[in-house]
Every structure is written in structure tokens, then in C-alpha cells.
Amino acid sequence: MGSEPDSPHTAAVSTDGVARPEPQLERTVTLTGVELASFLGHRDQLLADLETQHPNVVFNARNDVLSIRGETSAVRAAEELVREILELARRSGTVSSTDVRSIARMVRDGNGPRAAITLSEPILTVRGNAVRPQTQGQRDYVDAIEQNTIVFGIGPAGTGKTYLAMAKAVQALQRREVSKIVLTRPAVEAGERLGYLPGSLEDKIDPYLRPLFDAVGSMMDQDLVPKLLANGTIEVAPLAYMRGRTLNEAFVILDEAQNTTPEQMKMFLTRLGYGSKMVVTGDMTQVDLPVKQSGLRVVSGILRGVDDIHFSELTADDIVRHSLVGRIVDAYAAFDERSATDQHTTEGKRDR
């Protein structure tokens, strides 16, 4: 990729003490090493994504040259973003709008030089689509799973906690690092009573485990999954089925762990056997337990600092669903904070 020398533009000079506008700058980037039409996207979608991140910068693509024009500091930041996007496209072949948002955030946070590497390394490829982290937080989470025996992935909905853990489980199975995958979650209703469910025991628990079945299906060949489920290579079961077992040479994922009791969490963690790895995922803002304290909240105060156990904290910045989901999570967090402050103030007045 090449860049032309800086092309400064004359800015108005202040004579009355008012701050002078920042000088204008134009930079050009040669778009080499990519298929241009695919890189720019349908109707130059990439330019629209860039303008969303830098609304005060003008982007223009002509042949294989992208020009960037605006105030000097904004152009510098926009050029760094374009460089990282171009490098990601060279490495992975494609760049999505989500990738642009993720790289822009990483550049703003000072992680620009690592952005392309962070986002381009796939965990596995499913039906031609690469499964890979899409934020720095997700990359740190995946690296923690690689390096530790037990990892807790804690964060809001949409941060890829279960999806990435599942990808690492399938990868471990493909590499023959484990002999089976065990997926489990507590059978707790999400704030409503479902009443009597007809059918066999399997029929009754299926609604609770369906998200895990769906995750398995999205990670592997559709024809292979039923065979692996039938021979026990992949096991999906409610948490209650784990009692009394020792899980050797297994990749074990406990999903929706915020709905475990402290006793259930202890029971689950002590199932760990030789050659096994565990990932525990949960969202502390979505506890559906009727009375007892969440086992996920308790365990974070007990096991932090224990060697070979890692706690990964994902945030709204790591959400890779619709961009509105991140704003919803932030709004609820702000509401909860205001409510807690108001309650504390009310209790203080009552005490006086």
C-alpha cells in the first residue's frame, strides 16, 4: 500500500484572537493486494462505513486510489483506519461493516497496529465462513481459553461468549486435544412460568438446551452433528445431569451460568478431570433465579487470582450483533446505576 506525500490546504488565519481552524490535509492510499470491487463493497459500502466513523472527512475512491481529505488530525486517524482495513482484507479476503466498527474502536483505543492481526486469525472455518474474534476483548477471551484450563466469560448479550467458546471446543475436537464436547446449562425459566410441558424428559428439557443445539449446528457440518450426538462425542445435557461425574479429556461449556446457585457452581467445577478444559459463560444482568444468590457472582469473589483460572470481562464494546444492541445495554446499565444511586439517597434520608 502506498501513500502520497501530505497535501496541505490553506486555512483561514485568525486576526482577532479566535483560534485558527486546523489546517486541511489530503492523503491518498493505493488499494493494492485486494480485489477492488469486493473491497469497496456494493455501491461503495466501505466508503459509507468510513464516513460514519469519520463524518468530517471526505473519502473518494478513483480506480485503485482512495483519497482522504479533511482536518489534519482527522485525516491522520482516518488513514490509520484505512491501512488496518486494507491489511485485514489482504489477510482474510473480506471486510464487513462490523469489522470497520471494530477496527475504528481499536484505533481510537490505541490498538490500531494490532487490529488486522487480531481480527484476521480465524479459529475455524465453517462452510466457507471463518469464525474469528471481532473485537480486542473477544481476542483476549479466545487467547485466555487457549492458555488456561478454566475460563469464565462474563458479559452482556451479543458479545460472543458462547459462540467463541463453542468454536474453541470444535477446534479442540478437530485437533484431537479432547475426545468429546460437553455442553450444559441450568434449566431455569427466564422470568416466566411455562407450566406443564408434555412429552418425555428429553422433550421437557429441549427448550432450555435448544440454543446449545443451534450453536453446535452452526459450527459443524449439518450431517455430522447427529452422528456425534448419537455416539456421545458431543453431549448436551442440563446441569443437574453433571452431578457425580468426572469429565476426562473433554471440552466442557457451562452456558447461562448466572442462573446457577453457588452449590451448583461448585458441583460443576469439581467435575473437571484429566486433560479437560472448562469455559463458563454468563451475563450478570440477566439472573433468573427466584431467590438464591447467583453462583457466578459468588465464584468470581472466590477464584479470582487462582492459577490456571481466568476471568474475561466482556463489555458493550464487544457486542457484535446489531449496533443498537450495544446502545440498549449501555442504556440499561445507566438506568441501573441511577436506580442504585436513588435508592442509596432514599435510604440515607430515611436513616436521618
Side-chain angles (χ1 to χ4, degrees):
M1 175 175 58
S3 294
E4 298 297 330
D6 296 358
S7 301
H9 295 259
T10 304
V13 179
S14 171
T15 59
D16 57 2
V18 178
R20 185 176 64 180
E22 187 174 349
Q24 299 288 295
L25 177 69
E26 180 172 355
R27 298 280 286 171
T28 59
V29 179
T30 305
L31 306 177
T32 58
V34 294
E35 201 285 309
L36 197 58
S38 176
F39 179 69
L40 294 175
H42 181 60
R43 295 186 177 179
D44 291 343
Q45 179 62 44
L46 177 63
L47 300 186
D49 293 336
L50 290 171
E51 289 168 356
T52 299
Q53 298 301 322
H54 292 281
N56 297 323
V57 175
V58 177
F59 298 89
N60 184 48
R62 185 177 180 84
N63 297 324
D64 63 347
V65 175
L66 176 65
S67 66
I68 309 167
R69 188 175 73 254
E71 292 184 351
T72 299
S73 59
V75 168
R76 298 287 189 194
E79 183 183 5
E80 183 179 4
L81 173 58
V82 171
R83 287 178 180 275
E84 290 298 326
I85 291 171
L86 186 56
E87 181 61 25
L88 175 59
R90 288 168 173 165
R91 289 169 175 265
S92 64
T94 59
V95 175
S96 67
S97 295
T98 299
D99 291 329
V100 174
R101 291 195 300 270
S102 298
I103 293 177
R105 183 165 56 243
M106 295 171 73
V107 168
R108 287 194 297 269
D109 293 343
N111 295 318
R114 296 182 55 196
I117 296 174
T118 295
L119 301 182
S120 64
E121 297 177 353
I123 301 172
L124 50 85
T125 301
V126 184
R127 293 182 285 277
N129 297 316
V131 178
R132 53 186 172 85
Q134 296 188 46
T135 69
Q136 184 62 51
Q138 289 188 351
R139 168 54 64 186
D140 293 342
Y141 173 52
V142 168
D143 289 345
I145 294 174
E146 186 74 29
Q147 298 163 9
N148 296 272
T149 298
I150 299 178
V151 172
F152 291 83
I154 303 173
T159 51
K161 304 181 299 295
T162 305
Y163 187 75
L164 293 173
M166 186 71 69
K168 290 298 292 181
V170 173
Q171 181 190 61
L173 187 66
Q174 292 176 344
R175 291 177 174 176
R176 301 186 185 279
E177 296 171 352
V178 297
S179 59
K180 67 183 303 182
I181 297 173
V182 179
L183 312 172
T184 184
R185 67 187 329 197
V188 177
E189 295 165 351
E192 56 185 321
R193 301 296 299 175
L194 299 181
Y196 171 77
L197 295 176
S200 65
L201 178 60
E202 287 72 19
D203 294 332
K204 295 176 191 296
I205 64 177
D206 182 76
Y208 301 102
L209 302 178
R210 177 51 50 186
L212 295 181
F213 282 108
D214 293 342
V216 171
S218 70
M219 291 289 173
M220 307 185 77
D221 188 289
Q222 295 286 355
D223 295 332
L224 183 60
V225 173
K227 299 175 183 177
L228 296 178
L229 288 168
N231 65 25
T233 301
I234 297 178
E235 178 184 350
V236 183
L239 182 58
Y241 284 23
M242 297 297 107
R243 186 173 295 279
R245 300 179 61 184
T246 300
L247 302 171
N248 293 314
E249 297 181 356
F251 196 114
V252 191
I253 299 174
L254 170 58
D255 192 34
E256 298 290 337
Q258 75 275 5
N259 288 327
T260 62
T261 65
E263 295 80 11
Q264 286 176 320
M265 180 63 74
K266 179 182 178 182
M267 179 273 291
F268 171 77
L269 293 174
T270 53
R271 302 307 95 200
L272 181 68
Y274 292 109
S276 290
K277 188 181 287 286
M278 286 182 165
V279 179
V280 180
T281 69
D283 176 2
M284 289 310 307
T285 68
Q286 298 192 29
V287 178
D288 299 311
L289 292 171
V291 179
K292 286 195 173 184
Q293 189 174 14
S294 168
L296 184 59
R297 188 182 301 278
V298 172
V299 77
S300 66
I302 296 174
L303 296 183
R304 282 187 189 272
V306 175
D307 187 48
D308 210 20
I309 296 178
H310 181 85
F311 287 81
S312 288
E313 304 282 353
L314 298 164
T315 69
D317 287 340
D318 299 304
I319 291 175
V320 294
R321 293 179 182 172
H322 192 289
S323 60
L324 187 58
V325 175
R327 299 199 292 274
I328 291 171
V329 169
D330 286 340
Y332 268 94
F335 173 79
D336 291 341
E337 185 175 346
R338 289 196 304 272
S339 298
T341 300
D342 293 344
Q343 182 178 1
H344 180 74
T345 301
T346 302
E347 291 176 350
K349 291 179 179 179
R350 190 184 303 121
D351 292 340
R352 290 197 297 269

